[in-house]
């Protein structure tokens, strides 16, 4: 647990806007919390070996030699093979030879390997079963899938290996690999510790485990500065609202991912932090002036570029101060080519955010979006809807001259050079047995436990609400989330031997549920409430606030934990005790129990 400074500025940075929203100050934390600070240290003096590919070791590969080899490869490629390198696609199934109706529907062939042979894409992206592809179950299976897909790629056409990518940011919002993969607390929790070491170690663990299963590209870290508490899509995925802190930690995370052995990707350019619209469903507008962008949004991306980030992902956001035509940044040549490529001098890969998101599809149909994004300056097109249409549209644009051949080859060469620097041609396969040993190793889990505990943030503690009684007591654990409630109740019981009762009230508790929980609180010594206003959608936690007000009115001891966004306290600023966990996964609930 990390006690936060009492100044408004530092609390804002730690809880990314909580204090600014509701005007509270942090309470004193137990003395034990102060010892957590010993982990805080700068890594700037560490040796260059921490940077990993594509720096140091792989940077020893002569840039001229890499370019020459990429040019030779490019000469052997057909037009279709060049176009294929631009696309990052999803596949259905847990092995390369799994037949799945999802592949038939989307690509016209049954297995992932056949999709690779048909389209020869430059990359694939893994998803868990929540989206449908169901690619990531357990380490050996994932490694076997990666090997099977690489085998299909290197035995096809120009024999170019794949970029195998994933969104594994850490935290409980955007992640794909579940246990036994090590679960890390996420960016805002890491920023709350102020520990550069924790940020580096978290990225290193994630990168190491991804590399072990054959995933060589992580779409992380998030570089957005979350200055809007109402942001529905970034929130705890960001390192916070302090631009300087975000810049330092984004740079550190890039190093950590490289040390772990995967390519990194800063997202979402030019900055998705100040919006109340989700680009998955709509098209947000960022109203910052150019001066505000330079002061708030762009520094983390500059820091990532300075640290050697491999990839930058564009955002489906409108930024009129950068492009008055009001097209999404992904489709904007002034933003992608003018600002990112030329002004910021970024020489790595530029990839789109998913082209099947609402922010891209609203005004750009499947035959237009990939062409416009590529014309804007993007190198790789992620999850273009209707792949047959998308591939055909780009091909037609090249044949018609709307996309010059030189422009196509510029991006393909950049992709090939990236794969050469990442040594994918030399070593496309991974050891499946080794993957099972590395993913979720005892050392990784031990590190993750310590990191998670240091991120729990005490915002308020009045009238001796904390810590929990040291003597046996009855504890009611109530609020949002069946799984988090169960995990917390179990951990409290195990740590202190107290008797716990759980009562799930949902994201929008009705009067009957509120009455039931209030009555239960009267018969317990302590009530711990889990709040998650984000789960309530547009209702924004108003009913959860009524529940907490009713519980507080009993006069019994009440402790509230905001288990996703720390901003929940703005709804009940006078609650006796409030902590932020930034994460509702089991490791965070276990850490919360120890902190309590």
């Amino acid at each position: 647990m990390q006690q936060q400074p009492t100044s408004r500025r530092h609390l804002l940075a730690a809880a990314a806007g909580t204090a600014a929203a509701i005007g509270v100050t942090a309470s004193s934390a137990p003395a034990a919390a102060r010892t957590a600070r010993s982990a805080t240290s700068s890594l700037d003096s560490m040796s260059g070996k921490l940077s990993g590919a594509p720096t140091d070791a792989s940077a020893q590969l002569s840039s001229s030699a890499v370019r020459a080899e990429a040019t030779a490869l490019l000469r052997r490629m057909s037009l279709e093979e060049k176009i294929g390198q631009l696309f990052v696609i999803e596949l259905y199934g847990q092995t390369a030879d799994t037949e799945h109706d999802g592949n038939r529907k989307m690509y016209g062939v049954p297995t992932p390997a056949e999709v690779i042979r048909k389209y020869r894409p430059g990359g694939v992206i893994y998803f868990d079963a929540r989206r449908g592809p169901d690619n990531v179950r357990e380490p050996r299976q994932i490694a076997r899938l990666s090997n099977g897909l690489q085998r299909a790629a290197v035995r096809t056409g120009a024999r170019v290996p794949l970029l195998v990518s994933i969104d594994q940011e850490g935290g409980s919002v955007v992640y794909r690999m579940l246990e036994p993969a090590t679960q890390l607390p996420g960016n805002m929790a890491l920023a709350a510790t102020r520990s550069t070491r924790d940020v580096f170690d978290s990225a290193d663990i994630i990168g190491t485990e991804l590399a072990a299963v054959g995933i060589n590209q992580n779409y992380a870290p998030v570089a957005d500065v979350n200055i809007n508490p109402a942001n529905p899509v970034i929130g705890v995925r960001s390192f916070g609202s302090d631009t300087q802190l975000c810049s330092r930690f984004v740079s550190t995370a890039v190093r950590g991912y490289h040390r772990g052995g995967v390519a990194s990707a800063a997202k979402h350019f030019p900055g998705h932090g100040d919006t109340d619209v989700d680009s998955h469903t709509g098209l947000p507008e960022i109203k910052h002036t150019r001066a505000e962008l330079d002061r708030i949004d762009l520094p983390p991306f500059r820091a990532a570029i300075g640290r050697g980030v491999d990839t930058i992902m564009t955002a489906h956001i409108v930024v009129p101060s950068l492009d008055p035509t009001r097209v999404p940044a992904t489709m904007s040549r002034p933003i992608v080519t003018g600002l990112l490529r030329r002004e910021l001098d970024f020489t790595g890969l530029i990839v789109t955010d998913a082209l099947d998101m609402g922010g891209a599809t609203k005004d750009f149909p499947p035959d237009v979006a990939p062409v416009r994004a590529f014309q804007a300056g993007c190198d790789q097109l992620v999850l273009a809807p209707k792949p047959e249409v998308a591939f055909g549209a780009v091909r037609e644009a090249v044949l018609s001259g709307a996309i010059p051949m030189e422009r196509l080859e510029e991006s393909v060469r950049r992709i090939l050079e990236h794969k050469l620097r990442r040594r994918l041609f030399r070593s496309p396969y991974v050891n499946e047995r080794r993957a099972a040993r590395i993913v979720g190793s005892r050392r990784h889990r031990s590190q993750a436990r310590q990191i998670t505990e240091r991120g729990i943030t005490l915002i308020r503690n009045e009238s001796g609400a904390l810590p929990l009684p040291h003597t046996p007591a009855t504890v009611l654990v109530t609020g949002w989330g069946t799984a988090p409630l169960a995990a917390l109740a179990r951990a409290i019981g195990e740590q202190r031997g107290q008797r716990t009762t759980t009562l799930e009230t949902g994201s929008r508790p009705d009067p009957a549920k509120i009455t039931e929980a209030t009555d239960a609180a009267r018969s317990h010594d302590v009530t711990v409430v889990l709040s998650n206003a984000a789960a309530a959608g547009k209702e924004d936690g108003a009913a959860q606030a009524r529940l907490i007000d009713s519980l507080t009115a009993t006069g019994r001891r009440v402790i509230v934990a905001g288990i996703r966004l720390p901003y929940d306290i703005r709804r009940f600023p006078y609650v006796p005790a409030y902590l932020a966990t930034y994460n509702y996964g089991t490791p965070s609930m276990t850490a919360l129990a120890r902190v309590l």
Side-chain angles (χ1 to χ4, degrees):
M1 174 175 164
Q2 179 67 43
Q3 179 187 2
Q4 296 304 310
T6 55
S7 74
R8 184 184 183 90
R9 173 175 176 78
H10 284 91
L11 183 59
L12 175 67
T18 303
I22 52 88
V24 301
T25 56
S27 302
S28 296
R34 291 191 289 272
T35 64
R37 294 183 180 174
S38 63
T40 305
S41 62
S42 171
L43 297 182
D44 290 339
S45 62
M46 299 183 79
S47 66
K49 69 177 183 178
L50 297 187
S51 298
T55 58
D56 299 334
S58 56
Q60 300 306 314
L61 297 170
S62 163
S63 58
S64 59
V66 168
R67 187 169 183 82
E69 190 167 351
T71 300
L73 286 165
L74 193 60
R75 290 197 187 106
R76 300 201 300 266
M77 297 174 72
S78 67
L79 175 60
E80 286 71 20
E81 289 168 343
K82 293 173 185 176
I83 292 172
Q85 287 298 303
L86 308 182
F87 287 87
V88 178
I89 66 173
E90 62 183 327
L91 301 162
Y92 288 76
Q94 296 172 33
T95 75
D97 298 316
T98 299
E99 293 193 7
H100 197 291
D101 286 341
N103 296 320
R104 292 188 182 93
K105 182 178 180 181
M106 188 172 289
Y107 304 108
V109 292
T111 70
E114 289 175 280
V115 176
I116 298 300
R117 287 191 285 268
K118 179 177 180 180
Y119 287 96
R120 302 172 191 179
V124 298
I125 180 170
Y126 288 167
F127 289 99
D128 55 50
R130 290 173 298 173
R131 179 178 169 103
D134 194 17
N135 304 133
V136 287
R137 287 292 185 93
E138 52 85 18
R140 286 196 182 190
Q141 170 268 314
I142 303 170
R144 192 175 304 119
L145 172 62
S146 299
N147 286 341
L149 295 178
Q150 293 288 18
R151 194 171 295 112
V154 300
R155 292 178 178 178
T156 301
R159 304 178 183 274
V160 179
L162 294 163
L163 282 177
V164 181
S165 57
I166 199 168
D167 292 291
Q168 189 77 0
E169 297 174 4
S172 54
V173 180
V174 176
Y175 60 92
R176 309 300 176 213
M177 286 172 59
L178 299 171
E179 292 183 340
T182 304
Q183 303 301 299
L184 280 302
N187 286 348
M188 196 176 286
L190 292 168
T193 72
R194 296 299 194 278
S195 171
T196 311
R197 166 65 72 178
D198 284 350
V199 174
F200 180 86
D201 286 346
S202 178
D204 183 15
I205 291 168
I206 292 173
T208 299
E209 295 193 357
L210 295 182
V213 297
I215 297 170
N216 49 53
Q217 168 78 74
N218 193 17
Y219 289 141
V222 169
D224 305 310
V225 182
N226 196 77
I227 65 171
N228 189 339
N231 195 324
V233 64
I234 303 301
V236 292
R237 300 168 63 193
S238 164
F239 284 110
S241 62
D242 184 306
T243 296
Q244 186 176 3
L245 193 73
C246 287
S247 298
R248 187 167 87 244
F249 285 168
V250 164
S251 172
T252 302
V254 168
R255 282 194 290 163
Y257 288 125
H258 288 170
R259 172 62 178 266
V262 297
S264 53
K267 59 186 184 184
H268 309 79
F269 189 83
H272 206 316
D274 189 9
T275 178
D276 58 4
V277 175
D278 186 345
S279 54
H280 289 86
T281 56
L283 183 57
E285 179 177 341
I286 304 298
K287 298 179 180 179
H288 291 183
T289 65
R290 176 58 200 264
E292 289 172 325
L293 289 163
D294 281 329
R295 187 179 77 252
I296 299 169
D297 302 283
L298 295 180
F301 291 100
R302 293 181 187 272
I305 293 169
R307 184 55 67 184
V309 70
D310 308 86
T311 304
I312 290 181
M313 178 180 284
T314 62
H316 305 322
I317 54 176
V318 170
V319 191
S321 64
L322 296 178
D323 189 344
T325 66
R326 302 180 64 84
V327 299
T330 297
M331 319 294 178
S332 169
R333 185 168 177 81
I335 293 175
V336 178
T337 297
L339 176 58
L340 179 54
R341 187 66 80 194
R342 293 177 180 166
E343 186 175 337
L344 300 188
D345 196 26
F346 179 59
T347 59
L349 292 181
I350 300 176
V351 305
T352 70
D353 205 344
L355 292 175
D356 60 359
M357 292 166 56
T361 61
K362 182 176 182 293
D363 297 315
F364 297 90
D367 63 331
V368 175
V371 175
R372 287 293 299 272
F374 191 75
Q375 289 173 327
C378 296
D379 297 306
Q380 286 199 301
L381 311 168
V382 180
L383 295 175
K386 298 187 178 179
E388 189 75 34
V389 172
F391 276 69
V394 173
R395 186 178 189 277
E396 180 59 33
V398 174
L399 292 175
S400 70
I403 294 176
M405 181 60 73
E406 303 82 53
R407 169 70 187 89
L408 172 65
E409 293 190 345
E410 174 190 332
S411 281
V412 176
R413 182 180 289 107
R414 194 175 286 121
I415 294 165
L416 294 173
E417 288 177 359
H418 172 84
K419 292 178 177 182
L420 287 164
R421 286 194 300 270
R422 299 296 313 176
R423 301 181 183 273
L424 297 183
F425 285 87
R426 180 181 299 181
S427 304
Y429 307 117
V430 293
N431 185 307
E432 295 168 18
R433 291 184 179 180
R434 181 174 179 271
R437 293 195 303 271
I438 289 176
V439 175
S441 70
R442 182 178 299 177
R443 181 174 66 86
H444 285 176
R445 287 186 283 111
S446 176
Q447 285 181 283
R449 170 181 166 170
Q450 296 172 50
I451 292 169
T452 301
E453 286 186 4
R454 286 192 284 269
I456 306 294
T457 308
L458 179 64
I459 305 295
R460 186 178 177 87
N461 185 22
E462 302 294 334
S463 305
L466 286 168
L468 290 179
H470 289 276
T471 56
T474 56
V475 181
L476 173 65
V477 184
T478 189
W480 177 86
T482 301
L485 290 169
L488 179 60
R490 181 171 58 252
I492 289 175
E494 289 174 352
Q495 291 293 318
R496 296 187 176 275
Q498 292 152 334
R499 290 186 291 118
T500 59
T501 304
T502 58
L503 176 60
E504 210 273 340
T505 57
S507 59
R508 300 183 184 186
D510 58 25
K513 273 291 183 185
I514 292 174
T515 298
E516 181 184 2
T518 303
D519 289 343
R522 291 192 179 99
S523 63
H524 288 75
D525 298 313
V526 184
T527 296
V528 181
V529 191
L530 302 185
S531 72
N532 184 354
K538 292 183 179 179
E539 192 260 6
D540 195 29
Q544 294 180 46
R546 289 193 291 272
L547 166 68
I548 291 165
D549 288 343
S550 180
L551 293 168
T552 304
T554 64
R556 312 294 285 183
R557 193 186 302 197
V558 176
I559 301 162
V560 180
I563 61 169
R564 179 168 169 181
L565 297 173
Y567 317 120
D568 287 6
I569 194 175
R570 75 192 190 279
R571 283 283 195 182
F572 35 85
Y574 304 110
V575 69
Y578 181 78
L579 304 97
T581 69
Y582 316 94
N583 186 317
Y584 47 79
T586 295
S588 289
M589 294 301 96
T590 304
L592 174 61
R594 288 194 288 270
V595 169
L596 292 177

